[in-house]
Amino acid sequence: MQKIIEELAAQVDASLAGVTSSESLAAFWQEYLSKNGKVPGLMKQLRTVPKEERPAAGKIINEFKGKVEAEYEAAAARIKAEELAARNTAEAVDITLPAKLRNAGSLHPITLVKQEIIDIFAGMGFAVYEAPEIDDDAHNFTRLNVPKDHPARDMQDTFYLSGDLLLRTQTSNGQIRAMDEMRPPIKILSPGRVFRSDSDATHSPMFHQMEGLVVDKGITLCDLQGMLDKLVQALFGEGTRTRLRPSYFPFTEPSVEVDVSCFECGGCGCSLCKGTGWIEVLGGGVVNRRVLANCNIDPDEYSGFAFGIGIERIAMLKYGINNMGLLFENDLRFLKQFQE
Ligand code: DAH
């Protein structure tokens, strides 16, 4: 038995020396250590050993088996380490390579201003209410107290579509739609695109407005000015003041044009405010009683204020943009300047 084991030990050593991969390691285990392998097979040969020598022979076989198993474990650990090292080398990542440039987009200045105004008014309890860009004459004009022959229609050259439809000339159509849908108290902002057949250095046939409407009991022009003060201070700086000038809009009575103190010169007069110290930013007023009545809201019980802001104008003032075309050309060199 001693001799048989010695021969097998020599075989084991030779085989182990040839183990270089998990495949050959598995083959080694199969040949020597599996249930039908050569090492467990020694036990079967115990039968040929004289009875009195069997306990000693059994012990030797067990010791040999333990030794081969230990050698197998050691080889397995070595192979595992070698294979991991090889894989690490093969899959190595060079972290010194410069990263790929990612071109992140940025929000358009019109979007930035729109969101900023919405944020400011959301803080005062306003909800956003979107009205359609294609609407009918009644919502865009008639029910806003601009009847068919009204001269105010000439101020807004309209793109007419088929039938009674048109491209809205103002976000004021949102006032009528909101008052048809809701009952007071109403507090909405209606942003969006508007269209006029008008195009030159300071006019684009498509531009953006933000309509505001509040209808409740006891609303006055003071409420409008108070909220606009908050708006312009947030947009243009703490010290900014507002000034209301009498004006005319068919849907408000009284109507006002709102100026802000020039944030460039602080009111002393500069090229931005054309020496006046004031810059016009929006129109508004107390909702005309007829408009409330047109929407089945009792003007003796409720009153309201409304305003309309030109978003392009605010963006140009806020960011110092001197050419409106820049806002529509989508030149990346211009747009990239608004990256945060
Ligand atoms: N819709 C007007 C325009 O486009 C702006 C405006 C003025 C809206 C006064 C209002 C308002 O709601 O009260 O010129």
Side-chain angles (χ1 to χ4, degrees), residues 117 120-121 124 126 189 212 221-236 240-244 256-260 281-285 305-309:
I117 297 177
I120 298 163
F121 279 102
M124 295 191 264
F126 282 69
L189 273 186
L221 200 60
C222 293
D223 297 306
L224 173 65
Q225 186 163 25
M227 290 198 186
L228 292 180
D229 278 345
K230 289 275 171 269
L231 171 73
V232 300
Q233 281 159 13
L235 280 176
F236 300 116
T240 315
R241 285 160 295 128
T242 53
R243 175 176 83 169
L244 306 189
V256 293
E257 221 125 21
V258 181
D259 298 340
V260 293
V281 286
L282 59 99
F305 70 69
F307 59 85
I309 309 176

Side-chain angles (χ1 to χ4, degrees), residues 156 169-170 172 175 196 209 211-212 249 251-252 283-285 306-308:
Q156 303 185 358
T169 58
Q170 49 190 357
S172 307
Q175 290 191 34
R196 291 182 199 177
Q209 287 186 334
E211 195 83 8
F249 299 103
F251 27 87
T252 43
F307 59 85

Side-chain angles (χ1 to χ4, degrees), residues 136-148 153 294:
D136 55 25
D137 191 278
H139 289 88
N140 192 78
F141 287 128
T142 320
R143 292 175 66 197
L144 282 160
N145 197 33
V146 191
K148 281 255 152 48
R153 289 206 181 201
N294 286 344

Side-chain angles (χ1 to χ4, degrees), residues 97-117:
L97 273 180
K100 261 193 196 158
L101 263 191
R102 279 179 199 275
N103 282 322
S106 55
L107 293 177
H108 192 279
I110 301 267
T111 308
L112 290 174
V113 168
K114 180 175 121 178
Q115 290 185 346
E116 191 177 352
I117 297 177

Side-chain angles (χ1 to χ4, degrees), residues 5 16 24 27-28 60 65 73 86 145 150 169 217 221 306 337:
I5 289 179
L16 263 185
S24 46
F28 172 86
I60 298 175
K65 189 172 169 227
E73 293 300 339
N145 197 33
H150 198 286
T169 58
K217 289 183 177 158
L221 200 60
Q337 298 176 50

